[in-house]
Amino acid sequence: PKRKRPHLEEKDFTGGAIHALGTYQGSTGDSKIDERVAELVKDWDCGRQSSLIEELIITALNIGHDGAGPGELKLLNRSLKEMRKANNVFRPYRDVRKISVFGSARTAPDQPEYRAAVEFGKRMTAEGFMTITGAGDGIMGAAQKGAGRENGFGLNIRLPFEQAANETIVGDSKLVDFNYFFTRKLSFMKESHAVALLPGGFGTMDEGFELLTLMQTGKASIMPVVMLDSPGGSYWKTYLQFIKEHLLRLGMISDEDLYFFKTTDDIDEAVEEILQFYKNFHSYRHVRDQLVIRLNNPLQDEAVRTLNRSFPDLLAGGDFTQGEALPEERNEEEILSLPRLIFTPRKKSYGRFRVLIDTINTLQTKEG
């Protein structure tokens, strides 16, 4: 697909939490063994991340000393291999935005939800997005078909009774097979810049609620989430009714949490929701006690004043100010030139952060 935004690099779906971790900690408890590990990593030429590779090896050696059983070791070993495989598949496409599409594997081609998924996949490809699905049939196969083989990824799960990869993605180098749901789900979350949920069963609900939970708690970066039905469908209307009448009414979620997602039966509206999210907003990252929002274009001074008037509840102190990349952001070289909106956040409601992003996308920029 066409590549509309060149400023994309290794995606930190935690919004800076991974970068904030220390570069190296840990020891086997034996300094000579630690030295041998360091020498091995040096000989293997692991580049700038050598300290993290050392830590991985030391962790593995410590697990061996812990007396872990073969089942535990197989799980840890296979999980790491699956994540490595997925990382290698996605790495060449880091400069392309991606959308994950979830929905039932049982939806037949003659159903309106299937046709909606095909059309949605086509539309997102036309807008420069690649599509990630669970590689199965039904909604997944429909979105894959709409996106096209060259524009799609398939994250297949090995099950005892299903599922084979759909005809569009089977045999493609961008198809990854997973043994574990948790490594597969991590890849979905880590690589996505947007998510679309179409009608589905337990799996669709699981993916949707997990993403909402991660964004609500600040454990994953906020991204656009659309819940798309076929024209006139009631699946997501019923879902939203349940959310409001039970979770919201009983105080289990806040009003602001409803901003994390949008329900619609209109494909145009779903596509526009995703595109609008990235109109001026690019990404954000926590740096110490500050939140740095990277923008595609700088805001006009009056727009910044508008934010200070409208969102004092998000400020733990000081004001919203515009500036350049902070020193801690030097490891994200490809986006160092982007303008920044910097403030000290009161980490109380990530739903309000979503409202802030929406507002930023409506304000006047210095580029007009």
Side-chain angles (χ1 to χ4, degrees), residues 14-32:
T14 67
I18 289 177
H19 289 313
L21 295 174
T23 56
Y24 178 68
Q25 294 180 14
S27 169
T28 60
D30 185 323
S31 60
K32 291 184 177 180

Side-chain angles (χ1 to χ4, degrees), residues 58 106 175 193 202 253 255 344:
I58 287 173
R106 305 181 185 186
L175 173 65
H193 300 88
F202 290 154
I253 63 171
D255 290 308
T344 303

Side-chain angles (χ1 to χ4, degrees), residues 99-105 107-125 131-133 136-148 196-200 228-231 236 264-267 270-271:
I99 180 168
S100 287
V101 180
F102 300 104
S104 176
T107 304
D110 61 350
Q111 293 183 279
E113 293 82 5
Y114 186 98
R115 294 192 292 271
V118 172
E119 180 60 24
F120 182 75
K122 289 180 181 178
R123 291 288 304 279
M124 293 311 302
T125 294
T131 295
I132 310 172
T133 80
D137 290 316
I139 296 295
M140 292 177 283
Q144 209 103 57
K145 180 179 180 180
L197 300 160
L198 281 86
L228 176 62
D229 214 328
S230 58
W236 295 115
T264 181
D265 64 354
D266 186 305
I267 293 175
V271 172

